[in-house]
Amino acid sequence: MTPLLEINRLSKCYPGRVNALVDVSFSLAEGECLGLVGESGSGKSTLAKLILRLETPDQGEILLDGAPLHALRGRALKNARKHVQVIFQDPTASLNPRLPIWKTVIEPLENYPDVSPSFLSGIRHAKRQMAAVLLDKVGLGPDVLDRVPAQLSGGQRQRVAIARSLSLQPKLLVCDEPTSSLDVSVQAQILNLLKGLKNDFNMSYLFISHDIAAVHFMSDRIAVLKKGRLVDVFASGQLFETRRHPYTRQFTNCQPM
Amino acid sequence: MKPVTAEGKMSMFPNPVQKWVRKPLLLIGTGMLISVLLISLVGPFLVPNDPLAVNMSERLQPPSEKYPLGTDHMGRCLFSRLAVGAQTTLGITALVIFSVIVIGIPVGLISGYAGGRLDAVLMRIVDGLIAFPEFVLAIAVAGFLGPSLINLMLSIVLVKWVRYARVVRGIVLSEREKEYVLAARVGGCSSWKILYRHLLPQILSPVLVLAALDVGTVILIISSLSYLGLGIQPPNPEWGAMLNDGRSYFQTFPELMFYPGSAILWVVLACNLIGDGLRDAIHETDPTF
Ligand SMILES: Nc1ncnc2c1ncn2[C@@H]1O[C@H](COP(=O)(O)OP(=O)(O)O)[C@@H](O)[C@H]1O
Ligand SMILES: [Mg+2]
C-alpha cells in the first residue's frame, strides 16, 4: 500500500549558503501521526513549507498518495493542495488581523467550491452556518463569529486557525509547533483537541515541535532532525531506549518530561 | 494570554469618530480643508463679479463693496478669481492624487508580490525616476510636453507615482512572508485574491497618509508650474497663476500675491495637519506602522 506521504532525498538550500535541509527521506502512513523534533534552526519549518509547497525543493521528491506534489503547478497544484493543510506556530500572525473570524475560517471553502466535507452536508451554501459548525468542532461558540483576532485570546486564536485547517477535511495536517507560543495552561488543551480531531476527521499528522514531551504524547513515530539531517526515526514507545541516537538522548535528558 | 474582557475590547477599538475628535490637530486640519472645499463648490455661484471680466478703468482698486478684496492689474475682481480658482487648483490636485494612487498601488502590489524579473524591471524604472528631484523633473517634463492642463497633470503624476509604488512594495515584501498570507496560500487563495483581500487592506492606511501629506506638495507644484507659465494658462484663474500675475506689482501692491499665497498656504497646512494626525492615529492602533 502506498503511504499517504513519501519524502525522498529532499534537500533545500536558502540563498546565502544555508543548507536548511539535506537528503531527508521518510514516509507517513494514512492515519498516522509522525512527530518531528529538532532544536531551533534545524530545518523543521523548512520541511513543513516544502510539503505545503510554500517553498520549492532543490532536490528530491514529495509524493502525496503516490503523485509527485513537488512537480505540480497551476491548477493541478491547487487541486492537490486541498489535501494538505497547516497550523502555524503563532496564531496571531497566522490570522488576518482585519478579517472577522467567520470569513477567515471558511476562506478555504470559498476557494474550493467543489469540496463538500461530510460534516458540512446540507449547509454547504450557508457561509456563516459553516463557520459556526467549524468553530464548534474546535470548542468555540458562535459569539466569536463576528470578532476580529485581536478580540480573542491566544488559545482561542489557535482554535480558529485549527478550524480553518479542518474546513477542507484534509488528509494530512501539518502542525508546525502549534503550541509553542501559547501559555503552558493552554498547551495541553490544544494538544488534546488536536488528538481528538485526528480521530474524528480521520487525518494524518506531521506534528512538529521542539517539545519532546508534546511529540511523545501526540505521535505514533518520531523523527529527529539535526542541522537539516534526519538522524533518528523510531516508534514513539522506543523513545527512552538506550539504543537511541546520542542527539535524541540529549533531547530526552535535558527536557523535563 | 488572558481572555479579553468587554471593557478591554472597548478601549482597543474606539469608535473612529471619537478618535478623530480626540485629535485636535486632525480636527482643525479637517475643518480648514472642508472650508476650502465648500468655497470651491459654492463659490462660483456666489461670486460678486465675473472672474474673467477685464475693466481697465478699475485697476488695482482697494477692497470695496463691489470688490471684497479689490481688483488686480487688469481690473478683475480678486475675490471672484480666488473663489473660482479654488476649484481649478483643488480639482487638478484631486485628479493628480487619484491617478497617482491608481497607478502606484497596483504597480507596488504586483512588483512586491510577484518578485523576480518583473519586480526588477519595475523597480529599475522607479529608481530612475526617483533619482531626480521631483520638482525639477516635473518642470522638465512639463516644459518638454508644452504648456497645457493635461501636460501639467501628466508631468506631476509621472514624478509622483513612483513613491507610492515603492512604499506599497515595501509593505508587501514584509507582509507576504507572514503566516496569514502563507495560510491563505495553503487554503487555495489565488495570487489575485491574496493581493486584494489580504494585502490591499494593509496598505490603504499608509497610502492615505502619504496622499494627505502629498496634497500640499502637489498644490505647490501646480502653482509653481503655473507661475512659470507651464500650467494653467491666462486668463483662467488659478492660485499659482494669480501669484505669477501679481509678481510685477510686488513692490507696490503686495496683496496681489498675498491673497493667492495665503490660500495655498491654508490648504497645504490643512492637508499636512490631516496627514500628520492620521499617521499618529494609525500609529496608536498599529505600532508597527
Ligand atoms: N527564507 C529564508 N531565507 C534564508 N534562510 C532561511 C530562511 N528560512 C529559514 N532559513 C534558515 O534555514 C535554517 C532552518 O530554518 P527553519 O526551517 O525555520 O528551522 P526550525 O523551524 O527548525 O527552527 C535556519 O538556519 C534558518 O536561519
Ligand atoms: Mg520553525
Side-chain angles (χ1 to χ4, degrees):
Chain A
M1 194 183 124
T2 45
L4 175 63
L5 180 75
E6 193 176 344
I7 305 288
N8 283 329
R9 312 205 61 177
L10 203 61
S11 296
K12 174 73 183 176
C13 180
Y14 286 112
R17 304 201 132 268
V18 184
N19 279 314
L21 223 52
V22 187
D23 229 6
V24 169
S25 304
F26 64 86
S27 67
L28 205 167
E30 208 155 289
E32 186 185 25
C33 177
L34 177 69
L36 184 67
V37 282
E39 59 191 359
S40 178
S42 57
K44 305 185 296 294
S45 296
T46 302
L47 181 58
K49 284 180 183 165
L50 289 173
I51 294 172
L52 295 163
R53 279 298 308 264
L54 294 171
E55 296 278 357
T56 37
D58 298 335
Q59 267 165 31
E61 295 179 315
I62 304 169
L63 305 177
L64 185 71
D65 270 333
L69 185 61
H70 60 277
L72 298 181
R73 311 192 64 191
R75 234 186 159 67
L77 174 61
K78 184 180 173 188
N79 239 333
R81 209 166 218 175
K82 64 181 178 229
H83 300 302
V84 187
Q85 294 296 306
V86 67
I87 307 167
F88 286 113
Q89 171 175 354
D90 179 0
T92 308
S94 72
L95 304 177
N96 184 331
R98 290 163 202 270
L99 277 189
I101 297 304
W102 73 273
K103 288 192 178 173
T104 294
V105 166
I106 56 145
E107 188 177 67
L109 287 161
E110 285 176 352
N111 297 333
Y112 293 96
D114 49 316
V115 175
S116 294
S118 49
F119 55 93
L120 295 174
S121 62
I123 55 164
R124 185 60 180 85
H125 56 281
K127 293 183 173 183
R128 283 177 66 90
Q129 249 176 298
M130 288 196 295
V133 168
L134 282 164
L135 290 171
D136 180 60
K137 299 275 182 204
V138 297
L140 294 175
D143 53 313
V144 302
L145 281 174
D146 292 305
R147 299 202 199 158
V148 292
Q151 292 166 301
L152 300 180
S153 69
Q156 288 175 316
R157 284 177 212 163
Q158 194 60 299
R159 284 172 192 268
V160 171
I162 294 171
R164 171 178 58 191
S165 73
L166 295 176
S167 61
L168 296 172
Q169 205 171 15
K171 294 178 181 172
L172 173 64
L173 193 56
V174 177
C175 311
D176 189 357
E177 311 212 29
T179 56
S180 299
S181 65
L182 301 177
D183 276 3
V184 180
S185 59
V186 186
Q187 288 184 0
Q189 294 171 15
I190 297 292
L191 287 180
N192 281 319
L193 174 67
L194 284 172
K195 201 158 188 173
L197 290 170
K198 179 171 168 298
N199 289 331
D200 297 351
F201 287 76
N202 211 0
M203 293 181 287
S204 307
Y205 280 1
L206 176 64
F207 186 86
I208 301 174
S209 181
H210 60 250
D211 176 1
I212 191 92
V215 169
H216 187 230
F217 171 74
M218 290 293 297
S219 312
D220 303 309
R221 282 190 307 143
I222 298 177
V224 182
L225 204 57
K226 179 188 181 186
K227 290 189 179 150
R229 291 172 197 271
L230 217 52
V231 293
D232 210 0
V233 186
F234 50 89
S236 194
Q238 302 169 345
L239 174 61
F240 300 103
E241 290 181 1
T242 46
R243 63 188 164 92
R244 288 275 66 80
H245 189 279
Y247 183 71
T248 312
R249 294 177 61 183
Q250 208 177 311
F251 249 95
T252 49
N253 290 341
C254 69
Q255 295 207 358
M257 293 298 293
Chain B
M1 217 172 278
K2 292 180 188 66
V4 183
T5 59
E7 294 80 45
K9 256 181 288 169
M10 288 313 290
S11 62
M12 261 161 103
F13 291 93
N15 180 337
V17 176
Q18 277 176 15
K19 171 141 266 171
W20 206 278
V21 172
R22 236 183 280 141
K23 293 248 169 291
L25 290 182
L26 195 55
L27 198 65
I28 293 171
T30 312
M32 288 168 67
L33 189 64
I34 288 177
S35 68
V36 183
L37 287 177
L38 277 180
I39 289 176
S40 78
L41 286 179
V42 302
F45 303 105
L46 298 181
V47 290
N49 299 290
D50 179 354
L52 300 183
V54 174
N55 186 350
M56 292 312 258
S57 61
E58 290 185 300
R59 301 174 68 227
L60 300 167
Q61 295 288 311
S64 63
E65 220 157 279
K66 189 178 177 199
Y67 302 113
L69 293 177
T71 60
D72 67 3
H73 59 293
M74 295 172 83
R76 297 174 298 198
C77 172
L78 272 175
F79 177 78
S80 305
R81 287 180 69 73
L82 269 183
V84 174
Q87 209 168 44
T88 315
T89 306
L90 297 179
I92 298 173
T93 306
L95 225 98
V96 165
I97 295 277
F98 178 77
S99 315
V100 156
I101 288 177
V102 165
I103 298 171
I105 286 183
V107 171
L109 276 177
I110 292 169
S111 191
Y113 194 72
R117 206 173 291 172
L118 183 63
D119 181 39
V121 170
L122 287 172
M123 283 307 115
R124 205 55 59 81
I125 296 172
V126 166
D127 287 340
L129 286 172
I130 258 177
F132 295 96
E134 58 181 26
F135 186 57
V136 175
L137 189 60
I139 293 178
V141 174
F144 177 75
L145 294 173
S148 86
L149 185 59
I150 295 291
N151 293 344
L152 168 77
M153 292 196 281
L154 275 180
S155 62
I156 304 176
V157 170
L158 183 81
V159 299
K160 280 288 180 192
W161 73 272
V162 287
R163 271 165 234 280
Y164 290 72
R166 184 179 264 189
V167 165
V168 170
R169 174 177 175 269
I171 297 169
V172 170
L173 282 183
S174 73
E175 293 292 313
R176 59 172 286 179
E177 296 303 324
K178 291 199 178 156
E179 280 151 357
Y180 73 92
V181 177
L182 299 184
R185 280 169 67 192
V186 172
C189 285
S190 60
S191 300
W192 172 240
K193 185 168 181 181
I194 287 177
L195 285 180
Y196 79 76
R197 184 177 211 183
H198 295 286
L199 297 176
L200 186 61
Q202 304 291 336
I203 59 159
L204 283 183
S205 20
V207 165
L208 199 67
V209 172
L210 197 61
L213 292 174
D214 246 1
V215 168
T217 60
V218 169
I219 289 183
L220 289 178
I221 296 180
I222 295 173
S223 300
S224 309
L225 289 179
S226 298
Y227 180 83
L228 293 172
L230 291 168
I232 314 297
Q233 297 305 304
N236 296 315
E238 193 276 334
W239 294 348
M242 289 173 70
L243 208 58
N244 189 20
D245 287 346
R247 193 167 38 153
S248 356
Y249 301 87
F250 179 60
Q251 303 273 331
T252 43
F253 294 93
E255 47 284 34
L256 291 197
M257 291 187 85
F258 176 77
Y259 294 134
S262 309
I264 292 170
L265 189 68
W266 179 266
V267 176
V268 171
L269 189 63
C271 292
N272 278 305
L273 287 175
I274 293 174
D276 282 342
L278 274 181
R279 186 165 51 194
D280 291 349
I282 294 170
H283 191 82
E284 270 170 26
T285 46
D286 179 8
T288 55
F289 172 59

